[in-house]
Amino acid sequence: MSERIRATYQIETAYPLLEAAESMAGEQSSGTFVDVPGESEELRERHAGRVEDIVELDVTDEPTLSGTTPPDDEPAREYTRAEVTLSFPVENIGVDLPNLRTMVAGNLFELRHLSGIRLKDLELPASYASEFPAPQFGIEGTRELVDVYDRPIIGTIVKPSVGLSPDDTADLVDDLVDAGLDFIKDDELIANPPYSRVEERVEAVMGAIHRHKDRTGKEVMYACNITGDVETMLELHDVVKDAGGNCVMVSINDVGISGLLALRKEADVPIHAHRNGWGALSRHPLLGFDYAAFQKFWRLAGVDHMHVNGLRNKFCESDASVIRSARICQTPIASEDDVVMPVFSSGQWAGQAPETYEALGNADLMYLAGGGILGHPDGPEAGVKHLKQGWEAAMAGVPLEEYAEDHEELRRAIDHYGPVGSGR
Amino acid sequence: MSERIRATYQIETAYPLLEAAESMAGEQSSGTFVDVPGESEELRERHAGRVEDIVELDVTDEPTLSGTTPPDDEPAREYTRAEVTLSFPVENIGVDLPNLRTMVAGNLFELRHLSGIRLKDLELPASYASEFPAPQFGIEGTRELVDVYDRPIIGTIVKPSVGLSPDDTADLVDDLVDAGLDFIKDDELIANPPYSRVEERVEAVMGAIHRHKDRTGKEVMYACNITGDVETMLELHDVVKDAGGNCVMVSINDVGISGLLALRKEADVPIHAHRNGWGALSRHPLLGFDYAAFQKFWRLAGVDHMHVNGLRNKFCESDASVIRSARICQTPIASEDDVVMPVFSSGQWAGQAPETYEALGNADLMYLAGGGILGHPDGPEAGVKHLKQGWEAAMAGVPLEEYAEDHEELRRAIDHYGPVGSGR
């Protein structure tokens, strides 16, 4: 008997819960609404989706999403919300990530039985999950490359997002590496545009990084955005490598799972996953994907770093959601080796370090700040120092204000960005 | 001066509309919220996103999507909806489809200024749009391959969706081709699973199709689902071709834009695009994508057929939306050659033909029926005949009931599936 993949959903429906859940299992396996020739009992038994569990949550008067057709075409009186777990045989798809997503998500979002439908999580048999590429570097491998073990990897994003020539970018990076950063990334809005071809940009930027390494022994990681078609990504990956580059970045939703798999296959450096577009898949609570489900596809495909926003970020995500996402990145799927670095960014300064550390219980993360470094009143070097000091304090359990008493950069940052506990 | 890409959004915001629109343009170009060194006026001038137009729509008391932070952190009193058009310089990305999507969509869905954000449409300079691959076959090329010019291409989907062996599939196809179909496709839930490898399935299915061709001269098109990683898709494409196959199908959202581009580059047969997963991107009216915007990425990437659902379908999409989508598929982006076949399916029988034809004004479409063929009381051949008769009547402007007077298969179908104007 084939092992089974379990998928958990939150749904809302005007139908009896079992009927709605069975329509989901049917749509994603036997897949038709009427009995058709050839669909024998034996095939059903072997391949059908199965309703494993239904937990009723609450009831509402109005359908959350429109387009649902209540039973018997009469206006429904109530819509029940529930958590539904389905299972599907592994054999229905084999070891195949794009088709895994087709099976557990696919047409479900359009089912007329449902006025709310969100994929919350996926549970894969370990033997099955372990057949996917998974991260090549993950948390440990990334730490080794940057030689930072006992605190977050501190980084920044090259700004402005668009318009800088390769030489201007390298000039900025020259200053940033001198400031003591571990990690620098491109913005997602600059990949390989005519005004800054990766070939020239990575050459210029790695020049700055290597000169800094010659002076200090420290090699900063640079996530060069190579988002593009597959041929371009593979070419640019090699260009990055030839320039001594040590990381590539990809906008995962815009490249897609198959493109990412093609890159992972050839990649010799960590893949920094930018999740822009994620809001379209997640922002409505009864539609799309929870991060727990979403990130699994990309981790199995082999990314090494996943963005999670940050506490008191400038976007619309709550702190609770950010922390939940970061914990998920640090939770094994099939083995300890498939955990990935959660990447905190957006509005970050030292002010969020204590709560971030307290909530996560570890410092296995990347902590990116833009204005939190460049906007420090005493310049970028003080900006980086204040972040490191903030994390030292957080990890030692010392209140920031107290630690700031004899750490000037932190004190100045609190005056400038503070109070502690706010975003910037 | 660089040409500009225009993107139109529907938004909802508690902020003054201009401020909200400028935050969108800023986020997707200069991309930071504070002034940072190096961002000179000249760079802004050349690369900044621009607010082109704002049309206020209506006002609501409650935010539609949560997570928005009203101005000054006070509870907002009202949320204004508006259509906003932004423009971005082509130079910011170059000819690059994944990065085009990053730029016009990307982080926008998470902007805290917005309690609703949907990308409605994209307007690309023709010279720019014409640099993308675009469909290789489109409407005309597909018609030539199936040798059907004066009516819809009539097709079906092999069911059950999962479990059939290659030989069982071929047996079904044997019957289906004899029924007089033009087109047969795999379900999206069967790609290359262990129990039905494409290599064996396409060999068996094309055997049936070629035997039928030897008898009748007619070659039925078979869209073989090769969804998978890039290497697999390219291999399977060649397997399909070597078996004399004439079409491949891909679950576009699960493969992604870069994967699709890689396939398009090597493809010698039409690419049938299955849009499953589309509901997650579209079902909430103030989040995600309108079909007008969504389909442009895939058509520019080079698909030939795009699913649009059908009138009175079994999913949650309205008839108006279906027709709008089909018209969009038939509307050129950069040239007459980049139009694609809209694929009607789900709950279709002859009963929807008159309205479909009337609404579209042409028969340049694929019309797929499952139960509408296999469920015909006199069998699949009568099922196919009734569909053709239904379309003859529709295109001649003769009411179905009248045409059925001397067309037995149509009459029997109306008795079975009817009344006319209903779905099945």
Side-chain angles (χ1 to χ4, degrees):
Chain A
M1 197 64 180
S2 179
E3 289 190 293
R4 299 183 76 87
I5 292 156
R6 290 166 69 99
T8 303
Y9 306 86
Q10 182 157 3
I11 67 164
E12 181 188 282
T13 183
Y15 289 75
L17 286 177
L18 183 60
E19 184 181 339
E22 282 177 344
S23 79
M24 295 166 68
E27 173 65 20
Q28 294 309 93
S29 57
S30 55
T32 182
F33 299 77
V34 290
D35 280 324
V36 291
E39 188 168 13
S40 71
E41 266 316 301
E42 191 198 325
L43 283 189
R44 268 189 209 271
E45 180 61 32
R46 194 158 141 198
H47 292 284
R50 198 187 286 159
V51 178
E52 299 284 354
D53 199 20
I54 299 176
V55 180
E56 189 171 329
L57 301 171
D58 53 348
V59 170
T60 176
D61 292 344
E62 296 281 336
T64 299
L65 300 175
S66 65
T68 186
T69 319
D72 306 324
D73 287 333
E74 280 176 28
R77 280 183 207 88
E78 55 182 38
Y79 295 81
T80 311
R81 293 178 182 159
E83 195 171 280
V84 167
T85 302
L86 307 180
S87 74
F88 302 96
V90 161
E91 198 195 350
N92 282 15
I93 46 169
V95 180
D96 187 323
L97 219 38
N99 286 300
L100 174 61
R101 196 156 94 160
T102 302
M103 185 175 72
V104 299
N107 274 344
L108 284 179
F109 302 110
E110 294 182 68
L111 267 200
R112 66 162 15 158
H113 284 76
L114 307 175
S115 53
I117 162 69
R118 185 170 174 97
L119 177 61
K120 289 179 71 70
D121 206 353
L122 272 184
E123 202 181 305
L124 309 171
S127 60
Y128 176 72
S130 65
E131 293 192 63
F132 293 99
Q136 189 176 183
F137 295 88
I139 293 176
E140 265 193 47
T142 301
R143 283 204 175 285
E144 280 167 28
L145 283 174
V146 293
D147 197 25
V148 169
Y149 297 94
D150 47 3
R151 57 168 174 81
I153 292 171
I154 305 287
T156 196
I157 302 138
V158 177
K159 300 273 180 184
S161 316
V162 296
L164 283 188
S165 70
D167 285 342
D168 289 343
T169 307
D171 286 346
L172 262 181
V173 169
D174 248 331
D175 293 341
L176 291 168
V177 291
D178 278 344
L181 282 165
D182 308 311
F183 177 83
I184 296 170
K185 67 178 274 294
D186 286 329
D187 193 271
E188 83 274 14
L189 294 168
I190 178 169
N192 191 33
Y195 67 86
S196 179
R197 291 293 180 196
V198 162
E199 189 152 9
E200 290 151 41
R201 187 168 79 243
V202 74
E203 191 77 40
V205 168
M206 289 313 297
I209 285 174
H210 288 145
R211 285 191 299 279
H212 178 256
K213 186 183 182 183
D214 290 343
R215 289 194 298 275
T216 65
K218 179 175 177 71
E219 182 170 314
V220 172
M221 182 175 276
Y222 166 51
C224 182
N225 185 2
I226 62 166
T227 299
D229 60 61
V230 171
E231 197 179 2
T232 301
M233 286 194 293
L234 296 183
E235 272 175 27
L236 295 183
H237 165 271
D238 290 348
V239 164
V240 166
K241 228 187 98 190
D242 291 347
N246 44 22
C247 187
V248 291
M249 170 172 133
V250 169
S251 290
I252 52 178
N253 290 306
D254 300 318
V255 156
I257 293 177
S258 300
L260 203 278
L261 284 165
L263 173 62
R264 168 65 178 87
K265 199 160 185 249
E266 303 296 330
D268 295 319
V269 297
I271 299 171
H272 185 87
H274 199 290
R275 68 175 188 177
N276 71 78
W278 159 239
L281 295 169
S282 65
R283 195 160 163 199
H284 190 285
L286 270 171
L287 181 64
F289 296 79
D290 269 6
Y291 193 74
F294 171 78
Q295 53 93 41
K296 250 170 216 174
F297 294 100
W298 303 105
R299 281 171 62 186
L300 293 174
V303 306
D304 297 285
H305 315 150
M306 284 283 294
H307 278 237
V308 299
N309 245 327
L311 297 187
R312 293 181 293 284
N313 61 76
K314 295 183 166 176
F315 294 101
C316 61
E317 189 172 0
S318 72
D319 289 353
S321 170
V322 170
I323 292 298
R324 204 160 46 234
S325 296
R327 283 206 190 116
I328 287 166
C329 289
Q330 295 178 344
T331 304
I333 300 172
S335 87
E336 298 289 333
D337 296 333
D338 63 24
V339 295
V340 296
M341 276 279 180
V343 182
F344 285 72
S345 71
S346 180
Q348 302 300 292
W349 67 289
Q352 296 104 323
E355 282 157 276
T356 304
Y357 182 69
E358 190 178 48
L360 263 189
N362 64 62
D364 284 337
L365 57 99
M366 304 178 98
Y367 201 74
L368 311 190
I373 290 174
L374 295 172
H376 192 285
D378 300 324
E381 193 174 341
V384 173
K385 276 194 183 148
H386 110 268
L387 288 174
K388 290 182 182 170
Q389 291 163 359
W391 273 93
E392 283 161 22
M395 294 175 74
V398 178
L400 287 191
E401 289 85 350
E402 189 183 321
Y403 204 72
E405 283 167 18
D406 46 10
H407 291 87
E408 174 68 9
E409 293 82 2
L410 182 57
R411 190 185 61 73
R412 293 271 289 165
I414 294 173
D415 293 346
H416 185 68
Y417 303 123
V420 171
S422 67
R424 63 145 300 285
Chain B
M1 198 59 180
S2 180
E3 289 190 294
R4 299 183 78 85
I5 292 156
R6 291 166 68 100
T8 304
Y9 306 86
Q10 183 159 3
I11 68 165
E12 181 188 284
T13 183
Y15 289 74
L17 286 177
L18 183 61
E19 185 181 340
E22 281 176 346
S23 79
M24 295 167 66
E27 173 64 20
Q28 296 307 94
S29 58
S30 54
T32 184
F33 300 78
V34 290
D35 279 323
V36 292
E39 188 167 14
S40 69
E41 266 315 302
E42 190 197 327
L43 283 189
R44 271 189 206 270
E45 179 62 33
R46 193 158 142 199
H47 293 283
R50 196 187 287 158
V51 177
E52 297 285 353
D53 198 19
I54 299 176
V55 179
E56 189 170 330
L57 301 171
D58 53 350
V59 171
T60 177
D61 292 344
E62 295 283 334
T64 299
L65 299 174
S66 65
T68 186
T69 319
D72 305 324
D73 287 331
E74 279 175 31
R77 278 182 208 89
E78 56 182 37
Y79 296 81
T80 311
R81 294 177 182 159
E83 194 171 281
V84 167
T85 301
L86 307 181
S87 74
F88 302 96
V90 161
E91 197 194 351
N92 282 15
I93 46 169
V95 179
D96 187 323
L97 220 37
N99 287 300
L100 174 61
R101 198 157 93 159
T102 303
M103 184 175 73
V104 297
N107 274 344
L108 283 180
F109 302 109
E110 295 182 65
L111 269 200
R112 69 166 8 161
H113 285 75
L114 307 175
S115 54
I117 162 68
R118 186 169 173 99
L119 177 60
K120 291 178 70 69
D121 206 353
L122 272 183
E123 202 182 306
L124 308 172
S127 60
Y128 177 72
S130 65
E131 292 191 62
F132 292 100
Q136 188 176 183
F137 295 88
I139 293 176
E140 264 193 49
T142 300
R143 284 202 174 285
E144 279 167 27
L145 283 175
V146 293
D147 197 24
V148 170
Y149 297 94
D150 46 4
R151 58 168 174 80
I153 291 170
I154 305 288
T156 195
I157 302 137
V158 177
K159 298 276 181 182
S161 317
V162 295
L164 285 186
S165 70
D167 285 343
D168 288 343
T169 307
D171 286 347
L172 262 182
V173 169
D174 248 332
D175 294 341
L176 292 169
V177 291
D178 278 344
L181 282 166
D182 308 311
F183 177 83
I184 296 171
K185 69 178 272 294
D186 286 329
D187 193 90
E188 83 275 13
L189 294 167
I190 180 169
N192 191 32
Y195 67 87
S196 180
R197 291 293 180 195
V198 163
E199 188 151 10
E200 290 151 40
R201 187 168 80 242
V202 73
E203 192 75 41
V205 168
M206 290 312 298
I209 285 174
H210 288 144
R211 286 191 298 279
H212 178 257
K213 185 183 182 183
D214 291 343
R215 290 194 298 276
T216 65
K218 179 176 177 72
E219 181 170 312
V220 172
M221 182 175 277
Y222 167 48
C224 183
N225 185 2
I226 62 167
T227 300
D229 60 61
V230 171
E231 198 179 1
T232 301
M233 287 194 293
L234 296 183
E235 272 174 28
L236 294 182
H237 166 271
D238 291 348
V239 164
V240 167
K241 226 186 101 191
D242 290 347
N246 44 24
C247 187
V248 291
M249 170 170 133
V250 169
S251 291
I252 51 178
N253 290 308
D254 302 317
V255 156
I257 293 177
S258 300
L260 203 279
L261 284 166
L263 173 62
R264 168 65 179 85
K265 195 156 187 252
E266 302 298 328
D268 295 319
V269 296
I271 299 172
H272 186 86
H274 199 292
R275 67 175 188 178
N276 70 79
W278 159 239
L281 295 169
S282 65
R283 196 159 162 201
H284 191 286
L286 269 171
L287 182 63
F289 296 78
D290 270 6
Y291 193 74
F294 170 77
Q295 53 92 43
K296 248 168 219 177
F297 295 100
W298 303 106
R299 281 172 62 186
L300 293 174
V303 306
D304 297 286
H305 315 148
M306 284 284 292
H307 277 238
V308 298
N309 246 326
L311 297 187
R312 292 183 292 285
N313 61 77
K314 294 180 165 180
F315 293 102
C316 61
E317 189 172 359
S318 72
D319 289 353
S321 170
V322 170
I323 293 297
R324 203 161 46 233
S325 296
R327 282 204 190 118
I328 287 166
C329 289
Q330 296 178 343
T331 305
I333 300 173
S335 85
E336 298 289 333
D337 296 333
D338 62 25
V339 294
V340 296
M341 275 279 180
V343 182
F344 285 71
S345 72
S346 180
Q348 302 299 294
W349 68 289
Q352 297 103 322
E355 281 157 276
T356 304
Y357 182 69
E358 191 178 49
L360 262 189
N362 63 63
D364 283 337
L365 58 101
M366 304 177 98
Y367 200 73
L368 310 191
I373 290 173
L374 295 171
H376 191 286
D378 300 323
E381 190 172 344
V384 173
K385 275 193 183 149
H386 109 269
L387 289 174
K388 290 182 182 168
Q389 291 163 359
W391 274 94
E392 281 161 23
M395 296 175 73
V398 178
L400 287 192
E401 288 86 348
E402 187 183 324
Y403 204 72
E405 284 166 16
D406 47 9
H407 291 88
E408 175 67 10
E409 293 82 3
L410 182 57
R411 191 186 60 72
R412 292 272 289 165
I414 293 173
D415 293 346
H416 184 68
Y417 304 122
V420 171
S422 67
R424 60 147 301 284

